[in-house]
Amino acid sequence: MNFLNSQKESDPQQLVQVKSWVSEVFDLSEDISVMITQLQCTEEGCPPIETVIAILETPGKPRQYKIHKPLADVDQTDIVSLTAD
């Protein structure tokens, strides 16, 4: 338990599942890193919690996507919708 941060910690299994969906949907090879972060935003108009996905395929130029919901609520449909951008 983290007493300094009241934000719920991410479920490791959900994190692994989302990474798997990203690799599958974007057809990534195993040597490409995927970083997933859940961020809290306090700015006006910004969702309170969003999930940020970075595909570190090209050094210095990650592909970055945002899903406006917590990691726990991200499903495969959300990842597929990122390919439409």
Side-chain angles (χ1 to χ4, degrees):
M1 178 177 260
N2 183 349
F3 294 104
L4 300 175
N5 185 353
S6 62
Q7 184 177 352
K8 185 179 174 184
E9 294 186 23
S10 299
D11 175 5
Q13 289 185 340
Q14 176 69 359
L15 182 61
V16 169
Q17 179 62 70
V18 172
K19 281 186 174 184
S20 175
W21 289 331
V22 170
S23 292
E24 179 183 319
V25 169
F26 286 93
D27 194 27
L28 303 176
S29 63
E30 290 183 18
D31 62 332
I32 296 174
S33 297
V34 175
M35 187 173 75
I36 299 175
T37 308
Q38 183 174 277
L39 299 175
Q40 185 173 11
C41 182
T42 57
E43 295 177 19
E44 187 174 320
C46 184
I49 297 177
E50 62 185 10
T51 300
V52 178
I53 298 169
I55 300 173
L56 308 173
E57 190 170 23
T58 306
K61 295 184 179 181
R63 283 191 277 168
Q64 184 173 308
Y65 303 92
K66 293 181 181 179
I67 299 174
H68 296 220
K69 57 172 75 171
L71 177 62
D73 296 338
V74 172
D75 60 26
Q76 191 170 16
T77 305
D78 296 317
I79 305 303
V80 171
S81 71
L82 297 176
T83 62
D85 293 339

